[in-house]
Amino acid sequence: MSISEKEFKHVAQLAKLSFSEEQVGPMNQRFAEILDMVDQLSEVETEDVPVMTHGIKLQNVMREDIPSQGIDRDLIMKNVPSHQEGMIVVPDSFDESGD
């Protein structure tokens, strides 16, 4: 499958590649060879081939995400220096003075 030099230059521009005028002819020929190889893939029978999204079979090695009862809020509040209305009071992170 060959393409014109004009089409090749357009594809090269889209790919942000630049070629000198001497390089365009040989690169266009090589590009046509690559397109021919890709075109051969349409001849391969893939009807019963399972979809492969990764070259290595991956398994989830993480534990199941099972909800469980959390720690009692009253027990947590016994261990904090200061709390108010069920929330932990922490020091200001930013100086509000504007200096």
Side-chain angles (χ1 to χ4, degrees), residues 73 77 80 82-89:
R73 182 182 291 260
M77 293 305 170
V80 299
S82 178
H83 60 88
Q84 180 180 357
E85 299 177 15
M87 293 182 263
I88 300 171
V89 177

Side-chain angles (χ1 to χ4, degrees), residues 8 22 58:
F8 175 77
E22 298 83 34
L58 298 177

Side-chain angles (χ1 to χ4, degrees), residues 90-96:
V90 296
D92 289 339
S93 297
F94 299 101
D95 182 12
E96 295 287 330

